[in-house]
Structure formats: C-alpha cells, structure tokens
Amino acid sequence: MLPRQRPKLAAPAHTEPDGAPMDSERAFWCRFPAAWLARYTGDTIRTVTTVADYARRSGSCWASNSTLAGALGLHEKTVAAMLREVEGVLVLADQPSPNGTLGRRVRPVGEDELAVTVSSLARNSLSGYRFKVYAAISLRSDLGLSASASVLAQACGMTAEACRTIARDLVADGWVSRDAPVGRAPKYDVHPAPVAGAAVQLGLFAQPRQSARPEGVPGLEDDVADPANVVCEGQLALFGEGSEELPTPLVAAPGTPLVSLPQAPLVAAPQTGHLQQAHFNKLSAVDGCFSRVADTLVTRDAPAREDVPAGRGPVDVFGRPLRGDKPGSRVGTGTKTGIRPGQQSAVRLLRWDIGLDEDLRVALQPVEDLLRRVTSTSTREFLASRVRAALVDVAGWTGADHAPTALAERLTWRLKRQRGSALVDDPVGWMLSRGLPQGRRCRHEACDDGIRLDSGADCVTCELRVEDRRTTRAAVAGQVLAEMPDATDCERQAERERRLHNLAMRRAEALAAAEREAELRRLRYEAERPEREAREAAAETARLAVPCEDCQAPQSAGLCLRCNSRRGTRAAMIETVNFNLAMTSLTCWDDVRAVVARVNAEITAKLIEARIPGADRDMIAASDRVNAETFRDQAHRRALEHWARSAGACEEAELASEAELRRAHRYGTRPDAEKAAFEAGERARLAAARELLEQQLRFVRSLRKPRPNVAAPTAQARHRDLQECS
C-alpha cells in the first residue's frame, strides 16, 4: 500500500534530520479530524489512530490491547479503558475472532473535515498533552498560520501556560523549529522526527549574555566587534508571545567579553517533560536580565544582588564544585512531598492551579495552602489523578455539575476539623487519608460525615442511630431506677454502665456472627466456582454447537444472525399488515386479501429501495429488519390516530373534560382549569384509542390462528365475523 501523503495545503515536504528526503518505508503518516484535539485526550487520539493504522489493509484491526499498548508505551488497562470510552463513537467493535480479540474499525476522515496529519513516529514517541500540542502546531503549520499560546490552548482545550511550556519542550527536543518575528506570534516548522544534536539545540536556545565559565574552559571567539551591542534576552524572550507577555527588562551590563558554558548539551537550560515545568524553571537574575535558567548561570564579575539568592561557586567541566570549595547550603529546602510550614525555601512559590481544569480548581480551592507546599511535579500529577477519581465518585450522587462544589465543602469541613492547614505536616498524606475519602458514619452509601451526598440534607440513618442510642440509654436508666430505688447514685451509675456494656457486647457478637456466616457463604461460593464455571462453559458450548433452524448453518446457537434478522423482518411486516387491517373497514375476505397484498408490496418495494448497493447478505438482512421495524412503528402511530378520531374516543375525551371542569375550583384561574380539562380529555382520548386498537388487533390476529379439530367456517360465518369486526 502506498504511504499516506500530507494534504495539498501542507508547506514543504518532510525530510530526514540530515536534509535527505524520507524513503517510502519510513514516510508513514496518520490522520484524524482536528475536532478531536479539544474533545479527547492525547493518549485517546494516539490509541484510535493506531487502531486505524492496523485496520488499513484488512479493514479491521485485530491487534490485542497488549499489542496496542506496547506500540504506544502505555499500559494495557489504560488502552482498554480509552477504547471503551470511545466505543460506538469513534471505534466500532465487530464480532470477536476465535482467539478472543475484537475486530475494530475507525470512522474514516470525511472529505469536508479539517484533518491533522502527523508522522507515526511522532504519534508513537510523544504522549499525552505533548502529542496534542504537536498536532495543533502541525495543523497551524500546514495552513501557513501562526501558532500563539492562546490559539494552541483553544484548539487543544488546555491552558495557555501549559501550551507555551510544551511548545518550548518540543523546540528543545527538536520536534519543531520556531520562527518568531519581533512583536508577532510565532510560526513553527514541524519535523516528522526529532532534530538531534547538541549544536542545533544550543542554536535554538540562545544562552544569556553573561554565564559562568569555570577556570580552564576555553571561551568563544574574542574578536567581538562591539560587545556592548549584544542584547541580553534570556530564555523567556525566546518564547515570548508578542503582545501577550511583557517585554524583558534590559539593564546595562558591564562590557566584558562573552564566555561560554561547560561543553555539555543544554547544561544551562535543563528542561523537564511535565506541564508544571514553569514551577521549577525559576527566574534567576543575570546582571539585571531575568531568564528561566539553572543556578549555574551567574555572572563572573558582577556583584551579588540583595534580592536574588547567591549562586553556586566555581565548578568543573562536569558542573561539580572544585576541590576545596563546598556548595552553599540552602535553608529549608523541604522534602519530596512538601515544605513544612514556617520554613523558608529557595524555590519560589508559584501558582498552584497551573495545568488544572476548572473542576479541579473549584474542588481544591479550600486546600490551596497545602498544594503550594507540594513541590514535586510527579506528586502533583498523582494527587490530581486521585482528586479526579474522588470527583467521579461524588458525581455519582450529586451530578457532574455539583461535584466540585460538594468536594470543596468536604475539604473545607475536614480542614476545619484539623484546625487549619498549619497543623498538617504531610499535605499529600492528609489529602489521601483524611481529605478525599468519604466519611461514612452509617451503612448508607450516600452518607458523608452525617450529610447525604444526593440531597445535601442531614443523614436520616445517622440521626436514627443517635436517637436509638439515646432511647436505649434512657430505657436502661429507667429499669435500674425501678429495680434499685434505695441505691446510691454511684451504684445506679455502675449498674447502668454494666447493663449498657452487656447490651453492646451482645449486639457486637450478633454482628460478628452475621459477618462470619457471610464469610462462610462467600467461601462456599468461591469453592464451588470452578465446578459452576465448568457447567456454564459446557452449557455454552452445547448451545453454540446447535445448527441454525432455518438454514442449517453449523455452530449457530440454534439461529444465525442472518436468519434472526429475516425472522424479525417477517414479524415486523405481519404487525404492519395487522395495523393496516385494524384501520380498514372489512366486509369480506377479498378486502382482507387486498389489504395484505397492497401492504406487503409497498413494504417490499421500500425495503429493496433502501438496500445499500454492493452489501453482503448479512448486511442486507440487518438493513431490512431495521427498516421493517421503522415501517411498523409508523403504522402503529397512524392506527392510534385513526382510532383517536373515532366516536368512542371522542366521547371518552368529552366525559373526562367535563369531569375536570367540575373541579375548576381547585385551580387559580379559569384558563388554568380549561387547560387542565383539555389535557385530561386528550389523555382519555389516547387511552380509549389504545383500548379500541387492541380490541381490533385481537380480532385480526385471531383470524391468522389455525383452529384444530374444528370444521372450516362457511362463507356466511366468515362474512358475519368480518361484519362484527368492522
């Protein structure tokens, strides 16, 4: 099969990193509608396009979930969950093969749809949000348009900060090249494979004007014409979005020669691969120029600023302190999970809600102080996944719209019970063990700290438990007082506690006995599982081995799909004929035969006209069944309308309307009473029409039933039956 080509509106053809054109074996592309970027996650789009690639030759993808997961670097359960989410919408599952895998098909891209075309190498290498931003940049590049952070955020359903960070990572990794005129939104050139090489990356990431150079490391060329004219832009200016960000402030720097960094690729601009990259690529000052750089970027001869933490001392070519020099100690750097309150940190606390959607922001607003203390990106992502799971659980009771508010109220109450966030030592542990879990005080599944999640009212079961305990205690106290009238208060108190203790022990023993009995039943059920499954498997095998009753096809479970569809078509046609007979005034058997012939001819012609040209017999049988059932429903509606206009139905409607008008005093105004009377009459009319139609259908169906051991009716008897029917 020839490789897929990029659309005609694409810019230059893709080439290898060295400039040579890609051969036909490696020039493999995947296409999908651009509307998917805002609706589905990046991994979902990757999985669906992989299914489409496997289905290119045979029309169906027979690859298992483990095969798809291995190709994309995902877990098998993750692939299965994403395919279940889009099953029936993007992916259609056919009949399974003998080895258990499903044949999946993907809806092809329409000719009038705006499609995204990217290389399969990028699809298999990039994951999640990185693939979405890469695809959006590829689409904008094919159209010859600029791709600012706001445009990418709107196309991908993400935040502008996250898109800007990911775009910076893609440029650093060599997947795209950036061309940004001053004061205008950037344009990108998309590469099907990453452009490797430290020299290229250093060229894409221009270093600041001043940087640390250890002793013994050679510098750049010293023949600079005018060092004072070199502008210090920094990393932030490289990825600026025109008018969307403030310009980088420029402060005059001493006229010193330029020096280079240690000979290691991108040692001055370490990048991470997460959405919260902006949290940790912090701002550092280099002679008045701010840039997102590492701590190794300090000036050689500039004095330390009072408002900027001092950097590290001289380092060797590997970035390590020189012998005899010890790295400067930091104050309170915190742990992996967070920073204890009251400690100072060298990491500047940034926004806690970057990269979170609106639901997560609303739900986590009460614990904002705790989230600011979580400094690990992976921990933030793990915590966000657990919060999403809690939102799904709460949405099962409150609905998706009210779930964030309900979870925020739960966190507010739990934090208030903790007496503030200052007493929380481990933010992540507190969120997982005390903040997010549902606090059920009774056996009701919707109970959360005495509040019903479904209604927001007080839990009735919890109130009944409290009332039961109070009533029991009062009853025991009354019994002790009646039996020990002359005892002292201390003696009566001791007797009450003893009796309450005995009562509680008896209830606990009864509950433990019930739990033991339930456990024994479960163990017996598990012990009988192999035998039960064997019986079920044998019964299923025997059922599948029965041939088809109509066409005698083997292994059809008694009836194959084609014959089942044909039976459904015949049943629908018979019901359609019955409905038409119920609407016709029948005087003789010739009238019945005429109606039957006319309806059958009309339905047969419509079924033949609706068939798809070139379809196989199975598809034709399924199409005939669906269309026949549609004609049956239409005939049913016409029959109801016919009998709703009959004299009996009109009389029932008038009686119901008059009865409702006699209760007009229950309504506020006369128009309201008349409206209620009209609605009551229509309901009565419909009920009468259904009853009359059912009576007529019972008679029509009785004409089809054979009468064993009964002599054939005479012509006069059949004529009399038809007259009674009409």
Side-chain angles (χ1 to χ4, degrees):
M1 180 179 290
L2 294 177
R4 292 292 183 94
Q5 300 295 332
R6 302 216 16 132
K8 295 182 180 180
L9 48 84
H14 291 291
T15 60
E16 290 289 334
D18 56 356
M22 298 183 66
D23 57 350
S24 60
E25 294 182 358
R26 298 184 58 189
F28 194 75
W29 307 91
C30 63
R31 299 179 68 246
F32 59 92
W36 289 6
L37 292 174
R39 298 178 184 176
Y40 306 103
T41 63
D43 288 336
T44 301
I45 299 175
R46 295 173 63 220
T47 305
V48 174
T49 54
T50 305
V51 172
D53 290 347
Y54 276 95
R56 285 185 178 180
R57 292 186 179 273
S58 62
S60 297
C61 170
W62 298 99
S64 62
N65 293 339
S66 60
T67 303
L68 299 176
L72 298 175
L74 300 174
H75 196 275
E76 181 179 355
K77 294 183 179 180
T78 304
V79 172
M82 289 185 296
L83 290 177
R84 284 196 304 269
E85 183 181 358
V86 298
E87 185 176 0
V89 181
L90 303 182
V91 178
L92 303 178
D94 294 335
Q95 188 174 0
S97 64
N99 59 359
T101 59
L102 288 175
R104 301 185 176 100
R105 294 180 289 107
V106 180
R107 181 180 65 85
V109 182
E111 295 294 334
D112 55 344
E113 287 184 292
L114 182 62
V116 179
T117 305
V118 295
S119 65
S120 295
L121 176 62
R123 189 266 316 280
N124 297 338
S125 302
L126 301 174
S127 60
Y129 295 108
R130 290 168 60 87
F131 176 75
K132 291 184 68 173
V133 176
Y134 176 83
I137 292 176
S138 177
L139 177 63
R140 302 289 294 181
S141 176
D142 292 340
L143 297 176
L145 303 176
S146 60
S148 62
S150 59
V151 173
L152 296 178
Q154 184 178 3
C156 300
M158 300 165 56
T159 61
E161 178 65 19
C163 292
R164 185 179 296 109
T165 303
I166 294 177
R168 180 169 59 235
D169 292 345
L170 295 176
V171 175
D173 296 339
W175 286 102
V176 296
S177 300
R178 186 176 187 276
D179 181 17
V182 178
R184 299 180 62 184
K187 290 186 176 181
Y188 296 88
D189 293 330
V190 181
H191 309 295
V195 179
V200 177
Q201 295 188 15
L202 289 174
L204 294 175
F205 290 88
Q207 303 299 331
R209 182 174 182 267
Q210 296 291 337
S211 59
R213 183 185 64 168
E215 298 179 1
V217 178
L220 297 176
E221 291 78 8
D222 295 331
D223 54 352
V224 181
D226 189 3
N229 294 331
V230 179
V231 180
C232 174
E233 296 183 355
Q235 298 293 342
L236 288 180
L238 178 62
F239 296 98
E241 297 297 338
S243 60
E244 296 183 1
E245 294 186 356
L246 296 176
T248 304
L250 301 179
V251 181
T256 57
L258 296 179
V259 295
S260 65
L261 293 174
Q263 301 300 321
L266 293 182
V267 70
Q271 303 293 331
T272 59
H274 303 283
L275 292 181
Q276 277 76 13
Q277 183 178 3
H279 288 255
F280 310 108
N281 293 335
K282 53 187 177 298
L283 291 173
S284 297
V286 183
D287 285 353
C289 294
F290 287 91
S291 178
R292 291 188 184 270
V293 294
D295 293 335
T296 56
L297 289 184
V298 295
T299 57
R300 181 177 59 181
D301 52 355
R305 296 167 57 96
E306 297 180 356
D307 55 344
V308 179
R312 289 190 282 179
V315 295
D316 57 7
V317 294
F318 299 99
R320 299 174 299 189
L322 295 178
R323 180 173 298 180
D325 296 333
K326 296 183 179 180
S329 61
R330 295 181 180 272
V331 180
T333 56
T335 60
K336 181 178 180 180
T337 56
I339 304 173
R340 299 177 67 88
Q343 292 181 329
Q344 297 179 357
S345 174
V347 180
R348 186 164 60 94
L349 295 178
L350 300 176
R351 290 178 56 188
W352 61 273
D353 56 350
I354 293 179
L356 302 180
D357 52 22
E358 185 64 25
D359 292 343
L360 292 183
R361 291 195 186 98
V362 174
L364 297 176
Q365 185 66 33
V367 292
E368 174 183 351
D369 296 338
L370 298 180
L371 296 179
R372 291 184 185 276
R373 290 156 52 186
V374 180
T375 59
S376 174
T377 304
S378 59
T379 305
R380 283 174 174 261
E381 295 176 352
F382 169 73
L383 189 59
S385 65
R386 299 300 295 269
V387 175
R388 290 190 181 93
L391 280 176
V392 173
D393 296 339
V394 175
W397 297 103
T398 63
D401 297 336
H402 303 284
T405 305
L407 187 57
E409 293 176 356
R410 176 190 295 178
L411 294 175
T412 302
W413 166 250
R414 303 284 172 80
L415 201 60
K416 182 179 179 181
R417 189 172 59 186
Q418 189 70 25
R419 297 184 180 180
S421 60
L423 299 180
V424 178
D425 295 335
D426 185 4
V428 178
W430 184 88
M431 288 287 293
L432 298 180
S433 61
R434 297 188 180 182
L436 295 178
Q438 179 181 351
R440 291 173 54 185
R441 296 183 180 178
C442 61
R443 294 182 177 272
H444 199 282
E445 297 181 355
C447 178
D448 185 19
D449 293 334
I451 303 296
R452 290 286 180 87
L453 291 174
D454 50 356
S455 62
D458 295 336
C459 182
V460 180
T461 307
C462 293
E463 293 180 353
L464 292 177
R465 291 184 61 190
V466 174
E467 188 66 24
D468 178 68
R469 293 175 181 176
R470 291 176 180 175
T471 304
T472 302
R473 195 172 188 86
V476 172
Q479 293 176 3
V480 172
L481 182 60
E483 296 177 4
M484 304 172 61
D486 299 332
T488 61
D489 292 340
C490 294
E491 294 175 349
R492 285 197 292 266
Q493 178 67 22
E495 182 64 19
R496 284 198 301 267
E497 296 299 331
R498 186 186 66 81
R499 294 189 179 186
L500 289 174
H501 176 73
N502 294 336
L503 180 60
M505 290 300 297
R506 289 195 297 270
R507 291 183 177 179
E509 291 175 357
L511 181 60
E515 292 179 354
R516 287 194 299 269
E517 183 64 25
E519 182 67 17
L520 291 176
R521 289 196 299 268
R522 187 187 67 81
L523 293 177
R524 287 195 298 267
Y525 182 82
E526 293 295 334
E528 297 173 356
R529 180 189 295 272
E531 182 180 358
R532 184 173 58 256
E533 291 181 351
R535 291 196 304 267
E536 293 176 355
E540 182 67 14
T541 304
R543 187 185 68 86
L544 295 176
V546 178
C548 179
E549 296 180 0
D550 296 346
C551 64
Q552 300 302 319
Q555 299 291 332
S556 300
L559 191 65
C560 63
L561 295 178
R562 187 190 310 166
C563 295
N564 187 21
S565 299
R566 290 176 178 175
R567 286 190 178 186
T569 303
R570 287 195 295 268
M573 292 178 65
I574 291 173
E575 288 297 318
T576 306
V577 171
N578 292 341
F579 288 136
N580 283 271
L581 289 174
M583 292 185 293
T584 307
S585 178
L586 304 175
T587 58
C588 61
W589 283 101
D590 294 336
D591 296 341
V592 176
R593 297 189 188 94
V595 172
V596 172
R598 176 178 57 82
V599 174
N600 286 333
E602 292 177 356
I603 296 177
T604 303
K606 293 180 180 179
L607 292 180
I608 295 175
E609 183 181 358
R611 291 175 180 174
I612 302 175
D616 55 3
R617 291 184 295 178
D618 294 339
M619 186 174 294
I620 290 175
S623 174
D624 290 347
R625 179 173 183 174
V626 173
N627 294 327
E629 291 175 351
T630 302
F631 300 149
R632 178 199 60 192
D633 297 338
Q634 295 175 357
H636 185 206
R637 287 193 296 269
R638 291 195 302 269
L640 281 178
E641 294 175 357
H642 171 79
W643 287 102
R645 295 189 297 269
S646 62
C650 294
E651 184 178 357
E652 289 291 333
E654 293 178 359
L655 292 177
S657 298
E658 293 176 357
E660 192 67 24
L661 285 177
R662 286 194 293 268
R663 293 191 293 268
H665 58 279
R666 298 184 178 182
Y667 301 94
T669 60
R670 183 67 180 179
D672 293 342
E674 294 177 353
K675 180 180 178 181
F678 176 77
E679 294 176 354
E682 292 300 316
R683 289 193 297 268
R685 183 193 302 275
L686 181 59
R690 289 175 178 172
E691 181 63 26
L692 294 174
L693 176 60
E694 186 62 28
Q695 293 178 4
Q696 192 71 6
L697 287 176
R698 282 197 294 268
F699 175 77
V700 171
R701 291 174 183 142
S702 65
L703 298 178
R704 295 179 178 272
K705 296 181 181 180
R707 300 179 181 179
N709 302 328
V710 177
T714 60
Q716 293 79 3
R718 290 197 297 266
H719 182 71
R720 183 174 61 253
D721 293 341
L722 291 176
Q723 287 182 345
E724 294 176 357
C725 165
S726 59

